[in-house]
Amino acid sequence: MMSSEPSSSPHQEWPRISAPPRLVASTGNTYHGSIFRTALRENAEGPTPTSGGRARNPFNGSESNLFKSVQWTPDGTTLLTHSEDDGLRTFILPPDLLSASETALVPYCTTFTSSRVFATAIYPLANISQPESFIYLCSPRGEPIRLHSLLHPGLLSSYPLINPNTEVFETPYSLLIPSNTPNSFLAGTNNQISIFDLHRCGDGPVTVLKTTPARHAPATTTTMKGLVTAMALSDGMLAAGTNTRQVGLYAGDGGGEVIGVFTLPPDHEKVGRGVTGLSWSACGRYLYIAERRSDVVSVYDIRVTGHRVASLCGRAAGTNQRLGVDVATGLDGEVVAGGTDGVVRIWKGGEEGGGESVGAWQAHQDVVSSAVVHPFGSVVATCSGSRKTFGLGNRVSDDSSSSGSSGSGGEEEEEDQDNKGLWDNSLKVWEIPSSRITDQSP
């Protein structure tokens, strides 16, 4: 698509998307609306293997069932989504996805957790032809870290992370399974990164890295305070970011020495609310940093620790909701992100000097919470939704309408909102053919 080599001129002409990408698959309006209503729709479409279920809790049934995130499996066959009902859904895509007409996406299986999930991580060697490798981790609040299969619901293993002072479960805000050492995984919590052995089921961490040696230790170039909310690995170097706007670099896949820690500067006179995403360029030279309530993706050259070389502007992410950023390492290193306006934007990766997006399209009618590029080609998966809570009257009428009676503000009102485009909790898959990329001035 677009070259990832840095240029000395930030004003050169870049290729742009000349036409909107082609929508090849979607969940349609199945998840538009409240958790209660979307559960009825999902069940009406056919039985899906499930386990557990916060969705069965009547007290949160009025919440909007938005999609919080989506991830590709490394083999590019499957999508894993996380929704407001704490359902972790697996969508297996058909082999003829790009040659068929628009495909209706239906979850292959769904795993519900009993509490809010803060992070997920797919096994880096996951392959659908090897079911034993098709697994992922998740971290529910106040519970051990859980290991699940992408092909069937149910618990495979758990890994407790207990605070020695309070004897309660610590909840990781980020999880990472290294691709070069997939027998272990990392979990980021408050002032700490814990390393687990994936094969030691039921055991706690084998190594603990304290990002700051003491609770009240002064800030230095080797200390990083706060919740570890994002992690990324490249060539054995771990980058970890916190909700206090600090980024640390660690050798040895996170188990080695501290290379350096730096604090993010304000973005155009605005200060973000903490790191939500970290991604390395394919060459391992650049680190892309996304923050909460920040319209900028910051690009750092890790050869000069703490030196920002570019600011990718216009992300439209001025919200507390966590919006994902992805780097198309399978293509030419493009940076892809969605915004609160429902638009997905593309920037040229690794551009010294930064600039505005070089391509964009209207993907949804609500917040785009994730936009992720297929591991091997120009296919993008997006998901959307934002929090909208109904009042008690709406929830009661939903309950009554399901039993055959009617009431004000029930199903009819919710469907009217759907038709007006006020709801867009959906998962979509887009094709971006190379023929749709042309050389035009931005």
Side-chain angles (χ1 to χ4, degrees):
M1 290 173 67
M2 292 165 276
S3 173
S4 62
E5 291 299 319
S7 168
S8 59
S9 172
H11 303 294
Q12 67 179 29
E13 291 188 355
W14 291 332
R16 291 177 62 89
I17 296 179
S18 60
R22 182 172 70 96
L23 180 63
V24 296
S26 172
T27 54
N29 67 351
T30 300
Y31 302 98
H32 292 1
S34 65
I35 290 176
F36 181 85
R37 180 57 57 193
T38 59
L40 295 179
R41 290 201 197 104
E42 193 173 44
N43 292 335
E45 292 177 355
T48 299
T50 61
S51 70
R54 186 182 170 207
R56 296 180 175 86
N57 183 347
F59 296 104
N60 76 324
S62 62
E63 299 173 8
S64 174
N65 198 16
L66 65 109
F67 281 89
K68 293 183 176 181
S69 66
V70 60
Q71 300 175 66
W72 286 102
T73 56
D75 63 354
T77 64
T78 305
L79 293 167
L80 174 66
T81 65
H82 174 214
S83 299
E84 183 68 18
D85 61 1
D86 286 318
L88 297 160
R89 293 174 172 84
T90 298
F91 294 85
I92 299 178
L93 303 181
D96 62 344
L97 177 69
L98 300 184
S99 59
S101 57
E102 184 178 334
T103 300
L105 294 176
V106 178
Y108 181 82
C109 76
T110 303
T111 298
F112 288 107
T113 59
S114 58
S115 58
R116 179 184 176 188
V117 172
F118 281 83
T120 58
I122 298 177
Y123 188 62
L125 304 180
N127 191 307
I128 197 170
S129 63
Q130 299 174 327
E132 68 278 5
S133 72
F134 227 47
I135 54 178
Y136 68 95
L137 294 165
C138 69
S139 60
R141 184 203 297 271
E143 299 181 29
I145 302 166
R146 300 165 65 97
L147 181 68
H148 292 281
S149 170
L150 288 159
L151 297 176
H152 61 82
L155 181 65
L156 298 179
S157 181
S158 63
Y159 308 88
L161 180 56
I162 300 175
N163 187 315
N165 298 320
T166 61
E167 296 186 352
V168 300
F169 288 114
E170 294 275 9
T171 302
Y173 288 80
S174 55
L175 292 169
L176 177 65
I177 308 176
S179 57
N180 57 334
T181 56
N183 294 331
S184 63
F185 70 89
L186 292 78
T189 52
N190 188 30
N191 298 329
Q192 180 176 301
I193 298 173
S194 304
I195 303 177
F196 291 78
D197 187 329
L198 192 63
H199 296 295
R200 296 174 64 174
C201 303
D203 284 1
V206 295
T207 304
V208 173
L209 167 66
K210 295 289 186 179
T211 60
T212 182
R215 183 176 180 181
H216 300 291
T220 68
T221 56
T222 59
T223 63
M224 184 178 69
K225 292 186 176 183
L227 303 174
V228 180
T229 52
M231 294 186 290
L233 265 173
S234 177
D235 296 327
M237 181 180 296
L238 173 70
T242 69
N243 66 332
T244 58
R245 310 190 69 246
Q246 288 187 293
V247 176
L249 301 174
Y250 304 88
D253 292 335
E257 63 179 3
V258 182
I259 298 173
V261 175
F262 59 92
T263 300
L264 301 177
D267 292 323
H268 301 286
E269 300 181 355
K270 293 183 179 180
V271 178
R273 297 293 180 87
V275 177
T276 57
L278 295 172
S279 299
W280 289 98
S281 62
C283 63
R285 172 178 175 178
Y286 297 104
L287 180 65
Y288 300 91
I289 305 173
E291 289 192 84
R292 197 183 307 275
R293 298 194 68 85
S294 174
D295 292 337
V296 174
V297 178
S298 298
V299 186
Y300 282 75
D301 188 337
I302 56 107
R303 295 175 307 176
V304 184
T305 304
H307 178 57
R308 182 167 59 180
V309 296
S311 295
L312 308 182
C313 304
R315 188 163 70 107
T319 174
N320 284 327
Q321 186 173 343
R322 186 168 185 159
L323 306 186
V325 173
D326 191 33
V327 176
T329 54
L331 297 173
D332 290 326
E334 296 88 352
V335 179
V336 181
T340 56
D341 53 2
V343 174
V344 175
R345 295 172 175 84
I346 300 175
W347 294 263
K348 182 176 179 178
E351 180 64 36
E352 302 250 2
E356 300 296 329
S357 63
V358 297
W361 78 93
Q362 188 75 43
H364 296 270
Q365 299 303 313
D366 206 336
V367 177
V368 180
S369 51
S370 284
V372 289
V373 183
H374 191 278
F376 309 125
S378 52
V379 175
V380 178
T382 63
C383 65
S384 64
S386 58
R387 288 189 171 88
K388 305 178 184 71
T389 303
F390 283 111
L392 179 62
N394 297 63
R395 185 174 61 214
V396 171
S397 60
D398 272 351
D399 292 340
S400 61
S401 65
S402 66
S403 61
S405 57
S406 61
S408 61
E411 180 179 1
E412 293 79 12
E413 179 178 344
E414 184 170 323
E415 293 302 330
D416 285 342
Q417 289 180 326
D418 288 350
N419 295 335
K420 293 176 183 177
L422 299 180
W423 293 98
D424 187 358
N425 303 332
S426 60
L427 170 67
K428 296 180 179 180
V429 181
W430 308 83
E431 179 191 15
I432 310 180
S434 57
S435 60
R436 299 195 180 203
I437 304 296
T438 60
D439 288 329
Q440 299 177 0
S441 296

